[in-house]
């Protein structure tokens, strides 16, 4: 069964950082894209960043350029992976209260994975909670 499991969520003060992990089961990194999504209370799930586990191409969602993603790290978010252990990471620095939410990861084999439409992704994990509060 294909599934991803997230970990690393925490309660963090504004300005702090977190490193979230996403481990895949039932498939091998090297072919699909893996993405991170955030869902704030009462809001829809939205893409944050994704990485192709084969060619290492990364995209970051930015409300200023939506629906087109950025292809380089925005400065606060950085996605990476380790194919040897089937794990992807999301490093978030300078955390802000608006970063609060449940962070999910998922995978897709779709060619246009950069748009990060949630309905085209699968293998959703239970999520990990990040709360930014003083």
């Amino acid at each position: 069964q294909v599934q991803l499991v997230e970990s690393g969520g925490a309660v963090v003060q504004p300005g702090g950082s977190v490193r979230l992990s996403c481990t895949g089961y039932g498939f091998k990194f090297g072919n699909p894209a893996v993405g991170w999504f955030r869902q704030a209370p009462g809001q829809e799930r939205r893409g944050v960043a994704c990485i192709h586990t084969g060619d290492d191409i990364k995209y970051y969602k930015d409300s200023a350029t939506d629906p087109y993603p950025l292809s380089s790290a925005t400065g606060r978010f950085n996605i990476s992976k380790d194919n040897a252990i089937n794990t992807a990471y999301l490093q978030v620095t300078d955390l802000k209260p608006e970063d609060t939410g449940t962070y999910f990861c998922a995978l897709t084999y779709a060619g246009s994975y950069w748009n990060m439409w949630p309905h085209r992704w699968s293998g959703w994990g239970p999520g990990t909670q990040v709360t930014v509060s003083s």
Side-chain angles (χ1 to χ4, degrees):
Q1 181 178 355
V2 173
Q3 189 173 23
L4 299 106
V5 179
E6 308 88 347
S7 63
V11 178
V12 187
Q13 291 188 344
S17 64
V18 290
R19 188 191 194 208
L20 307 179
S21 299
C22 165
T23 300
Y25 299 93
F27 71 101
K28 291 293 290 183
F29 275 37
N31 193 359
V34 172
W36 282 98
F37 297 76
R38 178 177 64 236
Q39 187 165 20
Q43 296 186 21
E44 62 183 11
R45 194 170 298 185
R46 300 180 67 92
V48 176
C50 58
I51 183 169
H52 195 280
T53 61
D55 55 25
D56 211 32
I57 293 177
K58 305 173 185 181
Y59 292 106
Y60 298 86
K61 296 292 282 184
D62 188 299
S63 58
T65 62
D66 230 9
Y68 303 103
L70 302 176
S71 59
S72 59
T74 62
R76 296 204 305 120
F77 296 87
N78 188 48
I79 190 169
S80 61
K81 64 177 177 63
D82 185 341
N83 283 11
I85 56 173
N86 248 37
T87 298
Y89 304 95
L90 182 70
Q91 177 88 29
V92 189
T93 60
D94 190 24
L95 280 159
K96 305 178 185 303
E98 54 263 39
D99 296 321
T100 293
T102 303
Y103 284 72
F104 299 89
C105 62
L107 69 109
T108 186
Y109 293 91
S112 56
Y113 62 91
W114 56 267
N115 53 40
M116 297 198 76
W117 294 333
H119 68 277
R120 304 191 76 177
W121 297 70
S122 62
W124 296 95
T128 189
Q129 177 69 30
V130 174
T131 301
V132 184
S133 174
S134 55

